[in-house]
Coordinates of all heavy atoms in Angstrom, one line a residue:
Chain P
V335 N 3.1 -6.5 8.0 CA 3.1 -5.3 8.8 C 4.0 -4.2 8.2 O 3.7 -3.0 8.4 CB 3.5 -5.7 10.2 CG1 5.0 -6.0 10.3 CG2 3.1 -4.7 11.2
C336 N 5.0 -4.6 7.5 CA 5.9 -3.5 6.9 C 5.2 -2.5 6.0 O 5.5 -1.3 6.0 CB 7.1 -4.2 6.1 SG 8.0 -5.4 7.0
V337 N 4.3 -3.1 5.2 CA 3.6 -2.2 4.3 C 2.4 -1.5 5.0 O 2.0 -0.4 4.5 CB 3.1 -3.0 3.1 CG1 4.3 -3.3 2.2 CG2 2.3 -4.2 3.5
A338 N 1.9 -2.0 6.0 CA 0.8 -1.3 6.8 C 1.4 -0.1 7.5 O 0.8 1.0 7.4 CB 0.2 -2.3 7.8
V339 N 2.5 -0.2 8.2 CA 3.1 0.9 8.9 C 3.4 2.1 7.9 O 3.2 3.2 8.2 CB 4.4 0.5 9.6 CG1 5.1 1.7 10.2 CG2 4.1 -0.5 10.7
N340 N 3.8 1.7 6.7 CA 4.2 2.7 5.7 C 3.0 3.5 5.1 O 3.1 4.4 4.4 CB 4.9 2.0 4.5 CG 5.5 2.9 3.5 OD1 6.2 3.8 3.8 ND2 5.1 2.7 2.2
L341 N 1.8 3.1 5.5 CA 0.6 3.8 5.1 C 0.1 4.8 6.0 O -1.0 5.5 5.8 CB -0.5 2.7 4.8 CG -0.3 1.9 3.5 CD1 -1.1 0.7 3.4 CD2 -0.5 2.8 2.3
V342 N 0.7 5.0 7.2 CA 0.3 6.0 8.1 C 1.4 6.9 8.5 O 2.6 6.6 8.4 CB -0.3 5.4 9.4 CG1 -1.5 4.5 9.1 CG2 0.7 4.6 10.2
D343 N 1.1 8.1 9.0 CA 2.1 9.1 9.4 C 2.4 8.9 10.9 O 3.5 9.3 11.4 CB 1.6 10.5 9.2 CG 1.6 10.9 7.7 OD1 2.5 10.5 7.0 OD2 0.6 11.5 7.3
E344 N 1.4 8.4 11.7 CA 1.7 8.3 13.1 C 1.1 7.0 13.6 O 0.1 6.4 13.0 CB 1.0 9.4 13.9 CG -0.5 9.5 13.8 CD -1.1 10.7 14.5 OE1 -0.4 11.5 15.1 OE2 -2.4 10.7 14.5
V345 N 1.6 6.4 14.7 CA 1.1 5.3 15.3 C 0.8 5.6 16.8 O 1.5 6.5 17.4 CB 2.0 4.0 15.3 CG1 2.2 3.6 13.8 CG2 3.3 4.4 16.0
F346 N -0.2 4.9 17.4 CA -0.5 5.1 18.8 C 0.2 4.1 19.6 O 0.3 2.9 19.1 CB -2.0 5.1 19.0 CG -2.7 6.3 18.3 CD1 -3.4 6.1 17.1 CD2 -2.6 7.5 18.9 CE1 -4.0 7.2 16.5 CE2 -3.2 8.6 18.3 CZ -3.9 8.5 17.1
V347 N 0.7 4.5 20.7 CA 1.5 3.5 21.6 C 0.7 3.4 22.9 O 0.4 4.3 23.5 CB 2.9 4.1 21.8 CG1 3.7 3.1 22.6 CG2 3.5 4.6 20.6
I348 N 0.5 2.1 23.2 CA -0.2 1.8 24.4 C 0.6 0.9 25.3 O 1.6 0.3 24.8 CB -1.6 1.2 24.2 CG1 -1.5 -0.2 23.6 CG2 -2.5 2.1 23.3 CD1 -2.8 -1.0 23.5
D349 N 0.3 0.8 26.5 CA 1.0 0.0 27.5 C 0.0 -0.6 28.4 O -0.3 0.1 29.4 CB 2.1 0.8 28.2 CG 2.9 -0.1 29.1 OD1 2.7 -1.3 29.1 OD2 3.7 0.5 29.9
G350 N -0.6 -1.7 28.1 CA -1.7 -2.2 28.9 C -2.9 -1.1 28.9 O -3.2 -0.7 27.8

Side-chain angles (χ1 to χ4, degrees):
Chain P
V335 74
C336 308
V337 288
V339 173
N340 187 51
L341 286 163
V342 299
D343 288 319
E344 65 181 3
V345 297
F346 295 101
V347 186
I348 66 174
D349 181 7

